[in-house]
Amino acid sequence: MNIETVFRNNEQWIREKLEADPAYFEHLAQGQTPELLYIGCSDSRVTAEDIMGLQPGEAFVHRNIANLVNNVDLSVMSVLNYAVRHLKVNHVVVCGHYNCGGVKAAMQPADMGILNPWLRSIRDVYRLHKDELNAITDEGKRYDRLVELNVQEQCVNLIKTAAVQEAYKERGLRVHGWVFDIRTGKLIDLKIDFDKILKDIMEIYSLY
Ligand SMILES: [Zn+2]
């Protein structure tokens, strides 16, 4: 692939959109009312709209290495607040994926420079679930499980925020934890028990 290809592809895409709907871009320019916020990994193999079959305008998207929801990350917190408080999305999704390089890096004793503080959040997930993870003898299965637990803990981090707590009370916003299985293409709902997690952590994290 070279950069010129991108612009040729773009011209082709415009032609296809206009063939199907001559007013496509007029509608697109009018505004957005996405129903969900998708927080996923930056991995080039895990695109947001493609795997969900969604079109421009249907998902508000944030991606970073290993789909982390870090309390002091101004970027993810800004995206969350804008999506929940202004665009009024009703669903917030954290989507991890198997074979995640970020999660793999956090399982190894390696100095990754500036990535150390970022990946440390995943080491914290490992520490929280150390007994369960260490009991898994197959390394591949342990890696898969850490991917899932990382998604779960990022969902917990979402539930700790004022924006999510307020929108839950106000209009029943839901938080979902998913994993994209890069080996089969399947999107798996981890079915995290949102109400139970919310109830469990409210004793300490309630902001209302
Ligand atoms: Zn990843």
Side-chain angles (χ1 to χ4, degrees):
M1 189 204 70
N2 62 40
I3 293 298
E4 281 78 47
T5 314
V6 170
F7 289 91
R8 275 202 303 277
N9 291 346
N10 172 250
E11 293 295 336
Q12 176 64 27
W13 177 76
I14 293 169
R15 276 194 296 274
E16 284 167 14
K17 289 293 183 198
L18 291 177
E19 264 168 40
D21 175 10
Y24 182 79
F25 293 102
E26 281 164 44
H27 291 147
L28 204 60
Q30 276 164 12
Q32 57 172 337
T33 50
E35 190 47 32
L36 72 91
L37 164 62
Y38 169 99
I39 300 170
C41 184
S42 296
D43 192 303
S44 62
R45 299 165 296 177
V46 190
T47 59
E49 288 86 351
D50 272 4
I51 62 172
M52 296 186 286
L54 296 182
Q55 295 301 316
E58 293 185 316
F60 205 64
V61 172
H62 179 82
R63 291 167 68 184
N64 63 37
I65 292 174
N67 40 269
L68 300 183
V69 179
N70 185 316
N71 182 41
V72 293
D73 172 10
L74 190 57
S75 181
V76 71
M77 285 299 135
S78 301
V79 168
L80 177 69
N81 272 270
Y82 186 69
V84 171
R85 287 185 155 150
H86 297 275
L87 296 175
K88 307 274 184 200
V89 299
N90 287 315
H91 301 273
V92 182
V93 172
V94 177
C95 185
H97 67 101
Y98 297 136
N99 296 20
C100 180
V103 172
K104 183 90 193 167
M107 289 176 82
Q108 287 157 351
D111 181 352
M112 303 285 287
I114 190 66
L115 277 169
N116 291 337
W118 188 256
L119 298 177
R120 209 194 61 198
S121 302
I122 308 170
R123 293 185 195 273
D124 292 339
V125 172
Y126 199 109
R127 183 169 55 82
L128 267 172
H129 298 275
K130 187 176 148 209
D131 293 344
E132 179 188 342
L133 288 163
N134 283 351
I136 304 171
T137 49
D138 182 286
E139 204 190 321
K141 290 204 171 75
R142 193 161 69 237
Y143 178 19
D144 284 357
R145 186 61 186 142
L146 182 57
V147 165
E148 295 166 3
L149 290 169
N150 180 47
V151 167
Q152 186 183 302
E153 290 303 325
Q154 304 317 314
C155 290
V156 171
N157 288 342
L158 282 171
I159 296 169
K160 291 173 186 171
T161 66
V164 167
Q165 289 180 18
E166 182 192 49
Y168 173 73
K169 260 179 81 173
E170 210 179 74
R171 60 180 194 275
L173 172 136
R174 310 295 296 178
V175 171
H176 310 268
W178 298 347
V179 169
F180 176 66
D181 185 347
I182 209 159
R183 299 171 294 232
T184 62
K186 201 169 165 52
L187 202 51
I188 300 158
D189 186 351
L190 295 177
K191 297 193 165 54
I192 61 148
D193 195 338
F194 178 65
D195 297 304
K196 185 179 180 298
I197 293 175
L198 192 80
K199 205 164 151 260
D200 284 352
I201 71 171
M202 274 312 183
E203 184 191 347
I204 298 165
Y205 295 97
S206 179
L207 299 171
Y208 288 92

